[in-house]
Amino acid sequence: MRDSKWLTNNGKYHRALEQALCEYLGVKYISLFSNGTLALLTALQVLRITGEVITTPYSFVATTHSLWWNNIKPVFVDIEEHTCNLNPEKIEAAITPQTTAILPVHVYGNPCAVQQIKEIADTYGLKVIYDACHTFGVTISGVPVLNFGDLSVMSFHATKVYNTFEGGAIVCHDEATKKRIDFLKNFGFASETRVVAPGINAKMNEFQAALGLLQLKYVDQAIAKRRAIAEAYRAQLADIVGIRFLQDLPGVKHCYPYFPIWVDKEKYDASRDELYEGLKRHNIFCRRYFYPLISQFPTYQGLESAHPGKLPVAEEATEQVLCLPIYPDLELEVVRRICALLALRRF
């Protein structure tokens, strides 16, 4: 950067990172963004999505905010208990003449029911945009999860398995779409003097891209450490009554971005929130992820689809889920201490 004097707008490191990520992730085209939220906003613009979009209430608010900012009405559908992903069995009942797309989230890195969602989308002529912010390197029977849907959106935020401090990307399947994405993230410029669409400034800069190239060298090592931590949690939490957790899905290569547990208040003799506050007193900081539901926020709670009675699985999850600490340098002795506190209920 010092030699080239090129700090942003498709510089050397930006181009190198796009190519490296395509190779690592097994995708044809990727367009880097300054963050995942701008990538979500732009993905909807790329496919010219309007009207209503079916999505999940169980995600980070950026998923639904991206719809709202595009003047699109979110329609919430309940989630599956065993994955926390959008329940494909509930999608068709939510489709109306105004529905143009489905926006599912691969929650905690667990792939959605991609084949079922594809069949529904094909039947009704809908687009599918996956919020794939939790699924870096995840595959289903060897096929990268990013290759499903019309577009997949990624986040490289500092909390993710792979990060560029801030950052994101859109994965697409053809050169023409990649070109449109690149126009839209750079104010709509197609050349020095030609603007082809009302774009936005969402470019990744060279500092972020350079960090991304460095991070990519160590991501496999980081994922392996995360897997070992997840396995340690599972082994030590297995016999605690009132605590359950997710298992790896058959045929899926996971990246272990989070380790959520469900706290059954009646069986565990303490609520999720009591556990959350108690662990903080031991300097163990967890996340109630996702809490509250997006459908519970004032902006969205007036929507008909946001009614709690329509989202029973999501409503239960948001009151029970607690994500325990997981990061590559977390020592297994600390995992043991956390599990011991949970087992003895000494918090």
Side-chain angles (χ1 to χ4, degrees):
M1 282 175 280
R2 183 181 66 182
D3 295 334
S4 70
K5 307 296 190 294
W6 198 322
L7 298 181
T8 189
N9 201 357
N10 201 31
K12 169 186 173 182
Y13 295 111
H14 182 283
R15 295 192 301 272
L17 183 57
E18 286 194 342
Q19 181 178 349
L21 286 172
C22 281
E23 292 171 0
Y24 180 89
L25 296 169
V27 300
K28 289 185 177 180
Y29 299 96
I30 192 166
S31 182
L32 296 173
F33 278 71
S34 55
N35 62 63
T37 301
L38 286 172
L40 277 167
L41 286 165
T42 305
L44 293 159
Q45 289 281 325
V46 168
L47 298 181
R48 300 179 175 88
I49 304 301
T50 60
E52 297 179 358
V53 169
I54 293 170
T55 192
T56 173
Y58 196 77
S59 180
F60 185 61
V61 290
T63 305
T64 307
H65 283 355
S66 67
L67 297 170
W68 211 249
W69 274 70
N70 277 287
N71 293 315
I72 296 166
K73 180 182 177 181
V75 176
F76 297 116
V77 162
D78 206 6
I79 62 175
E80 299 175 306
E81 185 175 359
H82 67 289
T83 65
C84 289
N85 292 334
L86 193 67
N87 189 336
E89 303 297 331
K90 305 288 186 179
I91 292 175
E92 285 189 272
I95 295 173
T96 74
Q98 287 71 49
T99 306
T100 58
I102 307 170
L103 177 56
V105 180
H106 300 299
V107 179
Y108 306 135
N110 294 311
C112 294
V114 291
Q115 294 298 344
Q116 276 184 273
I117 291 172
K118 182 181 186 305
E119 290 171 7
I120 294 168
D122 289 348
T123 299
Y124 292 90
L126 306 177
K127 299 292 186 182
V128 178
I129 300 173
Y130 280 107
D131 181 329
C133 293
H134 295 178
T135 50
F136 191 87
V138 172
T139 63
I140 307 172
S141 300
V143 179
V145 71
L146 297 169
N147 283 318
F148 295 95
D150 295 280
L151 298 174
S152 286
V153 175
M154 308 185 72
S155 170
F156 304 144
H157 184 265
T159 59
K160 298 298 187 286
V161 170
Y162 168 85
N163 79 84
T164 57
F165 290 152
E166 289 276 3
I170 298 177
V171 172
C172 62
H173 312 305
D174 62 86
E175 188 175 2
T177 303
K178 155 75 168 163
K179 186 177 292 187
R180 177 166 168 78
I181 294 168
D182 288 345
F183 290 163
L184 286 172
K185 76 176 182 184
N186 187 27
F187 303 100
F189 277 102
S191 67
E192 184 179 354
T193 58
R194 190 163 64 99
V195 174
V196 296
I200 198 168
N201 183 13
K203 304 182 297 296
M204 176 179 282
N205 63 58
E206 286 289 86
F207 284 94
Q208 289 175 289
L211 174 65
L213 287 166
L214 290 173
Q215 292 278 62
L216 201 55
K217 295 180 180 180
Y218 305 104
V219 70
D220 286 336
Q221 180 182 347
I223 291 172
K225 289 181 177 180
R226 285 173 172 272
R227 178 175 182 170
I229 293 165
E231 289 175 346
Y233 272 132
R234 287 171 180 159
Q236 295 173 52
L237 296 174
D239 296 328
I240 301 178
V241 176
I243 299 289
R244 72 175 180 90
F245 45 82
L246 298 174
Q247 300 287 353
D248 287 359
L249 298 174
V252 173
K253 176 189 172 186
H254 289 270
C255 67
Y256 308 96
Y258 304 96
F259 192 86
I261 62 171
W262 277 251
V263 182
D264 185 321
K265 181 178 179 179
E266 302 305 319
K267 295 179 180 178
Y268 186 67
D269 295 329
S271 70
R272 184 274 313 274
D273 289 348
E274 288 171 333
L275 177 57
Y276 169 73
E277 295 294 341
L279 289 174
K280 281 201 292 187
R281 290 193 284 272
H282 290 270
N283 290 320
I284 297 166
F285 299 96
C286 305
R287 290 190 71 182
R288 293 172 292 183
Y289 202 58
F290 300 97
Y291 172 80
L293 292 179
I294 299 175
S295 54
Q296 293 173 346
F297 287 110
T299 304
Y300 306 110
Q301 64 184 3
L303 295 170
E304 183 182 353
S305 63
H307 191 278
K310 296 186 175 183
L311 306 168
V313 180
E315 290 280 340
E316 181 177 76
T318 199
E319 295 296 332
Q320 291 190 352
V321 168
L322 186 68
C323 286
L324 300 180
I326 183 168
Y327 53 91
D329 292 333
L330 180 64
E331 296 178 0
L332 293 181
E333 173 56 28
V334 176
V335 172
R336 187 203 64 76
R337 184 164 69 90
I338 293 170
C339 294
L341 287 169
L342 266 66
L344 297 172
R345 295 168 175 78
R346 290 180 179 171
F347 46 80

